[in-house]
């Protein structure tokens, strides 16, 4: 870890420009890709159905196509997730963000969690070899449902399974308190710090969910994130203070 001056260009290279709404249409994805090329974001993150479109729109640019696997519940089988990964990579995805089986994590069935991640990692490697590119695998923990010990163990599973990143959230969870009121479902400073502590300095940590402005983004970077998932990337870059120094984890 070392501190760097976070220019807009450097920050943009750490943002997954995201559009995962079930209501997203072709015009939305085309706009997303146009913005990603303009700002040189790390990737666009889209639902699997739009991977071919995003791949076509981003042709000739350095922006990667990221998609989601087992999204948003994580409750499909490992075989389904592996097959979904194979198709996504064949269609042009270079990064896949898979959701773990949250129920298995809550049951402390961690061997199943590790096998689930391993299935996606293996499929990504297999598909990547066929198309001649390295596929990045990010593991979504859905931290809003998990206690600290469970988050730590799931992070360890991701490392052992050969993934590249752990990621906080889908942004689609709906946790509730004992009073029935909705609780926060996105990234938190505490969870990002915890995840970074577990995986160490050379592994990826992606903060996602509820990061809508430069202050939120700065807090996540300072806590240990080295990738940001957000649908507000343009607003964040446009309002970013380039004199800010933050840790760099790579």
């Amino acid at each position: 870890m070392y501190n760097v001056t976070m220019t807009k260009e450097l920050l943009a290279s750490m943002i997954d420009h995201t559009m995962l709404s079930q209501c997203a249409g072709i015009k939305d994805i085309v706009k997303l890709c146009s913005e990603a090329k303009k700002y040189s974001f790390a990737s666009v993150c889209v639902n699997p159905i739009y991977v071919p479109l995003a791949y076509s729109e981003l042709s000739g640019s350095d922006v990667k196509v990221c998609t989601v696997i087992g999204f948003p519940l994580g409750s499909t089988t490992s075989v389904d997730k592996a097959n979904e990964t194979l198709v996504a990579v064949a269609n042009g995805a270079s990064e896949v963000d898979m959701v773990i089986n949250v129920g298995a994590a809550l049951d402390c069935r961690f061997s199943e969690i590790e096998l689930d991640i391993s299935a996606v990692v293996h499929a990504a490697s297999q598909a990547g070899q066929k198309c001649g590119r390295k596929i990045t695998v990010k593991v979504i923990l859905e931290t809003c449902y998990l206690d600290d010990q469970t988050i730590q163990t799931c992070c360890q599973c991701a490392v052992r399974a050969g993934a590249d990143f752990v990621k906080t959230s889908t942004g689609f969870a709906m946790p509730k308190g004992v009073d029935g009121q909705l609780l926060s479902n996105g990234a938190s400073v505490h969870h990002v710090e915890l995840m970074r502590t577990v995986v160490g300095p050379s592994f990826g940590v992606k903060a996602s969910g509820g990061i809508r402005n430069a202050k939120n983004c700065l807090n996540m970077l300072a806590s240990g994130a080295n990738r940001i998932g957000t649908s507000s990337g343009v607003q964040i870059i446009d309002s970013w203070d380039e004199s800010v120094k933050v840790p760099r984890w790579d």
Side-chain angles (χ1 to χ4, degrees):
M1 186 272 287
Y2 54 98
N3 290 330
V4 297
T5 299
M6 188 57 67
T7 64
K8 291 184 178 183
E9 181 181 40
L10 180 56
L11 177 60
S13 73
M14 301 168 71
I15 288 177
D16 291 342
H17 195 36
T18 304
M19 172 66 70
L20 294 171
S21 169
Q22 66 196 70
C23 299
I26 290 174
K27 290 182 179 179
D28 300 307
I29 303 304
V30 170
K31 179 183 178 186
L32 186 81
C33 293
S34 176
E35 292 171 343
K37 288 187 289 186
K38 176 181 177 181
Y39 285 82
S40 296
F41 289 129
S43 78
V44 296
C45 188
V46 298
N47 283 308
I49 192 67
Y50 288 123
V51 167
L53 173 61
Y55 183 72
S56 174
E57 289 293 317
L58 295 170
S59 177
S61 78
D62 292 329
V63 182
K64 296 179 179 178
V65 179
C66 174
T67 194
V68 285
I69 303 297
F71 193 86
L73 302 179
S75 299
T76 51
T77 69
S78 297
V79 172
D80 289 332
K81 291 177 184 177
N83 286 335
E84 195 174 6
T85 300
L86 291 172
V87 172
V89 174
N91 284 339
S94 292
E95 302 195 349
V96 294
D97 292 15
M98 65 160 291
V99 188
I100 66 165
N101 181 339
V102 178
L106 294 172
D107 282 346
C108 298
R109 295 177 356 239
F110 297 115
S111 61
E112 293 181 30
I113 296 290
E114 189 168 337
L115 287 171
D116 196 44
I117 300 168
S118 293
V120 171
V121 169
H122 178 74
S125 176
Q126 182 182 21
Q129 289 175 7
K130 288 184 177 180
C131 65
R133 60 180 185 271
K134 168 70 169 68
I135 309 303
T136 298
V137 177
K138 310 190 201 94
V139 179
I140 306 174
L141 305 184
E142 206 68 289
T143 51
C144 62
Y145 289 127
L146 308 177
D147 61 26
D148 284 3
Q149 183 58 58
T150 305
I151 291 170
Q152 290 175 322
T153 307
C154 287
C155 285
Q156 292 164 352
C157 289
V159 172
R160 287 195 300 266
D164 302 287
F165 279 78
V166 285
K167 175 179 170 181
T168 57
S169 321
T170 64
F172 285 75
M174 298 184 68
K176 295 181 180 179
V178 293
D179 58 358
Q181 297 297 308
L182 288 174
L183 303 174
S184 174
N185 70 345
S188 74
V189 165
H190 171 69
H191 287 152
V192 171
E193 288 177 340
L194 177 64
M195 293 159 71
R196 174 55 67 194
T197 298
V198 175
V199 302
S202 59
F203 202 80
V205 175
K206 178 175 173 179
S208 184
I211 304 171
R212 300 186 179 92
N213 56 53
K215 182 179 180 180
N216 294 153
C217 186
L218 175 60
N219 288 339
M220 296 301 125
L221 294 172
S223 302
N226 60 335
R227 189 72 71 90
I228 301 293
T230 179
S231 59
S232 303
V234 171
Q235 298 93 310
I236 289 170
I237 295 296
D238 284 347
S239 62
W240 188 255
D241 179 358
E242 289 194 308
S243 68
V244 169
K245 286 186 178 292
V246 300
R248 184 75 189 262
W249 305 87
D250 56 13

